[in-house]
Amino acid sequence: MATVATETESNRPVDPLDVSRPELYRDDVWQEPFRKLRAESPIHYTPDSDYGAYWSVTTYKPIVEVESLPDIYSSEVGGITLADFIEGSDVKMPMFIARDRPVHTAQRRTVSPAFTPSEMTRMSGDIRQRTAEILDSLPVGKEFDWVDKVSIELTTQMLAILFDFPWEDRRKLTFWSDWAGDIELVKSEELRQKRLEHMFECGAYFQNLWNQKIDKEPTPDLISMMIHSDAMSHMDQYEFIGNLILLIVGGNDTTRNSMSAYAWGLNQFPEERAKLEQNPELIQNAVQEIIRWQTPLAHMRRTATQDTELHGQKIREGDKLAMWYISANRDESVFGPDADAIKVDRENARRHLAFGWGIHRCVGARLAELQITILLEEMAKRRLRVNVTGDPTRVAACFVHGYRSLPVELSKY
Ligand code: HEM
């Protein structure tokens, strides 16, 4: 397909179908290139980009196929984002999202008990109370930043509870998570070094918490679960930090950006917002629909471990593939011609791929759904509506898909 003659900072001609370009997400103009890819080249090779050569998998079925063949499409060989590990400039911090079987299975099994339905029931009272306190502290009829006051605050409070993390320091979790999840940093050696420093700070902080719990009776938080598990108790420092960062980033940016999408998205579709306000029984479905529409992680990457074929395209051993969930969740053949719209009563909203699929499917999905559901229920209880008062600032990156700020004003309906 044709490339146009404009140039990037790296003097590479702009390839309009290189969907890794950060400006597509910063300016919210990613929809059109993905539409084109889905229609004309659903398994598409980009020979040159800021992340090197990669395949884009942009429709629903082939993504499910890639996810269902973890021995052929490895999470471990090249990691889970388009950004490659750079020898000599990065320190390997293995995390189980980026491990293959059997290590992945064992480590995932260790943290899974924190996310069972009975744990969710146990935590829901606490989540509801904290959500209520935050909503009751918000001004009505006065502008504020929804991302900071609601999305970030709710998600960091939740993580602080999950880790039994010192309450007054909880914003450190947001700080570390923002650094860890920003794949744009790959482009600057100086920022990579800074990121590394922050990751070690994070590691040292958690090491201290770990030391405080090591000889104590087990408690129902993630650190204690890791200490008392066979699969995770013998991890070295890097693996320990890696897995903690995974849980922090996994639970932070994603849920946060779904909460911001609730505010921004329903403001774009006021008729749907009215439908939800009049029919609060639609909340559970609306939560799935908002997660689908936002898709807080735009892609996950796999690396082929052997020569293979994917929907007619020859994939070579070592090739990297981006599974663009953000595009599969707009796949017209699954979600219909109105896939770009929020429909709070969309029948198959639950089929979205925002949590991935298969053995790596998000382990925290239930917790994320619970937090967002409670937020919407507590808003409905108070008959509160979020009115957007200005443009959001968006994350300029092709991995975390979200908002840095969103000015809003609350009103009663
Ligand atoms: C894995 C999305 C919330 C922890 C994943 C994956 C995605 C994802 C796409 C990878 C799936 C794959 O490779 O097939 C999301 C979204 C969330 C969310 C959209 C919110 C709306 C959470 C929460 C936590 C969490 C709240 C924990 C507190 C994890 C972990 C993994 C994971 C530990 C690795 C699972 C594995 O490799 O087996 N998530 N996530 N996530 N997520 Fe989430």
Side-chain angles (χ1 to χ4, degrees), residues 67 96-97 104 108 250-251 254 258 302 325 354-355 360 362-363 368:
E67 296 252 31
F96 73 86
I97 196 171
H104 165 260
R108 180 176 166 114
T254 50
S258 305
R302 298 293 187 262
Y325 302 131
F355 291 124
H360 285 281
C362 180
V363 82

Side-chain angles (χ1 to χ4, degrees), residues 119-299:
E119 268 306 290
M120 295 304 103
T121 310
R122 192 181 69 80
M123 288 161 81
S124 63
D126 203 3
I127 297 176
R128 192 172 296 282
Q129 190 196 329
R130 290 178 194 287
T131 306
E133 278 166 17
I134 288 175
L135 295 187
D136 290 338
S137 75
L138 297 174
V140 175
K142 211 170 134 207
E143 190 175 81
F144 66 93
D145 177 12
W146 178 266
V147 173
D148 185 60
K149 289 259 179 315
V150 181
S151 312
I152 292 184
E153 197 46 35
L154 272 174
T155 38
T156 38
Q157 286 194 5
M158 188 63 249
L159 280 180
I161 295 168
L162 264 181
F163 286 115
D164 194 15
F165 191 88
W167 198 248
E168 62 288 358
D169 278 351
R170 65 187 183 280
R171 284 271 169 150
K172 284 185 191 294
L173 295 169
T174 316
F175 178 80
W176 292 325
S177 169
D178 283 348
W179 274 92
D182 188 348
I183 72 165
E184 280 300 295
L185 298 181
V186 76
K187 297 171 186 170
S188 149
E189 178 58 32
E190 195 189 329
L191 290 175
R192 281 177 99 94
Q193 286 306 322
K194 264 230 137 14
R195 170 163 67 178
L196 219 51
E197 278 168 34
H198 294 314
M199 295 307 99
F200 278 110
E201 266 161 44
C202 167
Y205 196 105
F206 273 100
Q207 188 74 55
N208 196 23
L209 296 183
W210 178 286
N211 292 342
Q212 287 168 24
K213 283 177 183 285
I214 191 104
D215 297 322
K216 305 270 166 44
E217 284 297 302
T219 44
D221 57 88
L222 282 166
I223 297 183
S224 182
M225 275 181 193
M226 286 162 80
I227 289 175
H228 294 281
S229 90
D230 286 342
M232 284 179 140
S233 55
H234 305 300
M235 290 180 305
D236 68 22
Q237 192 198 6
Y238 298 116
E239 200 170 11
F240 169 61
I241 301 177
N243 277 305
L244 283 168
I245 290 169
L246 164 62
L247 287 158
I248 299 171
V249 182
N252 201 346
D253 300 21
T254 50
T255 315
R256 177 208 304 181
N257 286 317
S258 305
M259 290 176 173
S260 301
Y262 150 68
W264 168 251
L266 285 186
N267 200 84
Q268 306 304 297
F269 299 95
E271 282 166 21
E272 293 297 308
R273 181 170 63 192
K275 206 190 283 174
L276 188 62
E277 287 171 353
Q278 282 145 30
N279 304 282
E281 70 281 2
L282 288 175
I283 284 177
Q284 289 224 332
N285 200 67
V287 167
Q288 297 301 330
E289 175 67 350
I290 288 163
I291 296 173
R292 177 193 73 84
W293 184 79
Q294 178 62 27
T295 312
L297 294 178
H299 81 268

Side-chain angles (χ1 to χ4, degrees), residues 3-8 12-14 16:
T3 52
V4 292
T6 29
E7 302 209 331
T8 62
R12 183 186 311 112
V14 171

